[in-house]
Amino acid sequence: MNTEEKILEAARTVFTQKGYAAARMQEIADVAEINKGLLHYYFRSKERLFQAVFEEAFGRVVKHVNHIFESNLPLLEKIEGFVEKYMDTLLEHPEVPAFVVNELNQKGEAFVKELMQKRQKPNPMPLIMQIQMEVDAGKIRPVNPFQLVLSLLSMCAFPFIARPLFKSFAQIDDRMYMQLMESRKKEIVDLVINGIKL
Amino acid sequence: MNTEEKILEAARTVFTQKGYAAARMQEIADVAEINKGLLHYYFRSKERLFQAVFEEAFGRVVKHVNHIFESNLPLLEKIEGFVEKYMDTLLEHPEVPAFVVNELNQKGEAFVKELMQKRQKPNPMPLIMQIQMEVDAGKIRPVNPFQLVLSLLSMCAFPFIARPLFKSFAQIDDRMYMQLMESRKKEIVDLVINGIKL
DNA sequence: GTCTATAGGTAGATAGAC
DNA sequence: GTCTATCTACCTATAGAC
């Protein structure tokens, strides 16, 4: 593991935990077990180091989600597959959604616009159109496809974003929380499938 | 409007927009149109000023949610009432959920624990038990009540937390976004009611 | 209560030896 | 490439005049 990778690894940890504003270059250097000066040697500034970390995290999630959206399955199986795989991604990186959403909220319009231009966007259109076709064909209850996709994303991602809140009010530890998220997959799929069928 | 109220009003704006770490006492003073020294005269420190703002926001949301949870309505009406009123609260204060969740994520366990002790907790138990009774009585499909409540909260709150993301990728402005959230009420209720009926 | 001035500390960034 | 030392800027907080 070379120096640049050690820095990126440490920066991921610190930035996702503390957020950009509260993160300290010194702490990143400590976690990486390297000298603070090296951070600037490799990445010039805190801002650039942050962007490297953020775009990596954002890109990974978007790529994963798009892959599922664009797959070629029947609607019900696609929904099932989406929930299964998206929840697995979140279980592997439980702190990423909060990180991404926090920074997007705080960095302002300009930052988001720029990100959307140079990076691949999330593209739920294939799924949205597929839902609309099923509605038109009378196969499922008439729902607003955009809202349905938003609901799917919400039910998967929100519990991870609000994890500290739920953890402390429901008095459960991390392992228990992860188990709840595991069993949540089926719960979400059942609710949605039953919710849209005629 | 006296000085203390002006400060609190300004602090609300700045803290919710920037978050604790990125907020500057100077900016709060500027927004309040008062001298920076007065901030310390009234609230001693940035931390104390922040706590005043945060606990106010948190308490308001919790109080509102608890009130609905504890109401004495039949299940389906309670769900409908919850979505309606909770979404109205969020439409009035669209930036609050992201603020609360961000800070809870970053301030760490100790902060959350302390908050939960001295403040009233969110208490969804009445609703959870009501759902369990309907399941036991064979009135609705067997669902995990905790997961169902979590899904309701998710579908309402997540779109507000992820607002900048959706706004810029769906290319819509604030007014349009609020309209989507308004029509979302019915969409959520329909999905859930259909999703749990036998 | 309100202001100005400033102390005291810390963060990001750079210079320069090795 | 890696380290130490330091510069410069900024931020919170306080002291003290009015």
Side-chain angles (χ1 to χ4, degrees):
Chain A
M1 199 170 182
N2 64 26
T3 304
E4 187 167 344
E5 282 165 353
K6 276 199 285 187
I7 293 175
L8 275 172
E9 176 66 26
R12 250 176 248 135
T13 307
V14 176
F15 277 133
T16 51
Q17 258 176 31
K18 305 279 178 79
Y20 175 79
R24 297 291 165 247
M25 295 295 267
Q26 184 62 61
E27 187 178 354
I28 295 173
D30 292 345
V31 172
E33 292 177 307
I34 51 112
N35 190 277
K36 190 173 65 143
L38 284 178
L39 297 181
H40 293 92
Y41 177 81
Y42 280 95
F43 292 92
R44 282 199 74 82
S45 69
K46 183 184 178 184
E47 184 66 36
R48 278 171 197 264
L49 177 54
F50 172 78
Q51 283 189 8
V53 170
F54 185 85
E55 289 180 16
E56 186 195 44
F58 186 74
R60 214 193 332 246
V61 171
V62 167
K63 187 179 167 186
H64 207 141
V65 172
N66 279 354
H67 184 256
I68 306 167
F69 280 155
E70 290 160 3
S71 73
N72 214 354
L73 294 165
L75 182 58
L76 297 195
E77 290 171 41
K78 191 185 275 195
I79 289 175
E80 203 171 341
F82 168 75
V83 172
E84 177 79 25
K85 295 226 176 96
Y86 190 46
M87 290 290 282
D88 279 344
T89 309
L90 297 178
L91 281 163
E92 264 183 72
H93 308 282
E95 71 298 328
V96 167
F99 171 60
V100 169
V101 154
N102 288 0
E103 300 302 335
L104 287 179
N105 270 304
Q106 290 172 10
K107 289 264 174 180
E109 295 277 318
F111 180 82
V112 185
K113 285 252 166 86
E114 197 193 347
L115 187 78
M116 285 296 180
Q117 278 171 359
K118 69 178 163 186
R119 277 275 159 186
Q120 54 181 339
K121 297 185 188 184
N123 181 21
M125 283 315 292
L127 179 52
I128 288 179
M129 288 180 64
Q130 190 175 4
I131 295 169
Q132 188 61 56
M133 282 173 64
E134 299 272 308
V135 169
D136 293 342
K139 298 276 182 65
I140 60 174
R141 196 169 59 75
V143 294
N144 180 320
F146 178 85
Q147 300 275 9
L148 183 63
V149 173
L150 185 51
S151 295
L152 273 172
L153 286 166
S154 301
M155 286 188 280
C156 292
F158 180 78
F160 290 90
I161 295 176
R163 185 164 54 132
L165 189 62
F166 286 108
K167 264 185 60 185
S168 62
F169 112 85
Q171 311 256 30
I172 52 182
D173 60 13
D174 271 314
R175 207 174 51 81
M176 187 69 187
Y177 196 80
M178 292 306 172
Q179 282 177 11
L180 270 174
M181 292 304 107
E182 188 62 42
S183 62
R184 183 164 175 75
K185 292 176 185 172
K186 181 165 159 38
E187 208 77 30
I188 294 173
V189 172
D190 287 349
L191 186 71
V192 171
I193 301 291
N194 280 286
I196 63 176
K197 78 178 178 197
L198 285 169
Chain B
M1 200 170 182
N2 64 27
T3 304
E4 188 167 342
E5 283 165 351
K6 277 200 285 188
I7 292 175
L8 275 172
E9 176 67 26
R12 252 175 246 135
T13 307
V14 176
F15 277 133
T16 50
Q17 260 175 31
K18 305 279 178 79
Y20 176 78
R24 297 291 165 249
M25 296 294 268
Q26 184 62 61
E27 186 178 355
I28 295 174
D30 292 345
V31 172
E33 291 177 310
I34 51 112
N35 190 276
K36 193 174 59 148
L38 284 178
L39 297 181
H40 292 92
Y41 177 80
Y42 280 95
F43 293 91
R44 281 199 76 83
S45 70
K46 182 184 178 183
E47 185 65 35
R48 280 171 194 264
L49 176 54
F50 172 77
Q51 284 189 7
V53 170
F54 185 85
E55 288 180 16
E56 185 194 46
F58 185 75
R60 215 195 330 249
V61 171
V62 167
K63 188 178 166 186
H64 206 141
V65 171
N66 279 355
H67 184 257
I68 305 166
F69 281 154
E70 290 160 4
S71 74
N72 214 352
L73 294 165
L75 182 59
L76 298 195
E77 289 170 42
K78 190 184 274 194
I79 290 174
E80 203 170 341
F82 168 75
V83 172
E84 177 78 27
K85 295 227 174 95
Y86 190 46
M87 289 290 282
D88 280 344
T89 309
L90 296 177
L91 281 162
E92 264 184 74
H93 308 283
E95 72 297 328
V96 167
F99 171 60
V100 169
V101 154
N102 290 359
E103 300 301 336
L104 287 179
N105 270 303
Q106 290 172 11
K107 289 263 174 178
E109 295 276 318
F111 180 82
V112 185
K113 285 251 167 90
E114 196 192 349
L115 187 77
M116 285 296 180
Q117 279 172 358
K118 70 178 163 187
R119 277 275 159 188
Q120 54 181 337
K121 297 186 189 185
N123 181 21
M125 283 314 294
L127 179 51
I128 287 179
M129 287 180 63
Q130 190 174 5
I131 295 169
Q132 188 60 55
M133 282 173 64
E134 299 272 308
V135 169
D136 293 342
K139 298 277 182 62
I140 61 174
R141 195 168 60 74
V143 293
N144 179 320
F146 179 84
Q147 298 276 8
L148 182 62
V149 173
L150 184 50
S151 294
L152 272 172
L153 286 165
S154 301
M155 286 188 279
C156 292
F158 180 77
F160 289 91
I161 295 175
R163 185 163 54 132
L165 190 62
F166 286 108
K167 266 186 60 186
S168 62
F169 111 86
Q171 312 255 30
I172 53 182
D173 60 13
D174 272 314
R175 207 174 50 80
M176 187 68 186
Y177 196 80
M178 293 306 172
Q179 282 178 12
L180 270 174
M181 291 305 107
E182 188 61 44
S183 62
R184 184 164 174 74
K185 292 175 187 173
K186 183 167 157 34
E187 208 77 30
I188 294 174
V189 171
D190 286 349
L191 186 70
V192 171
I193 300 290
N194 280 286
I196 62 176
K197 78 180 178 195
L198 286 169

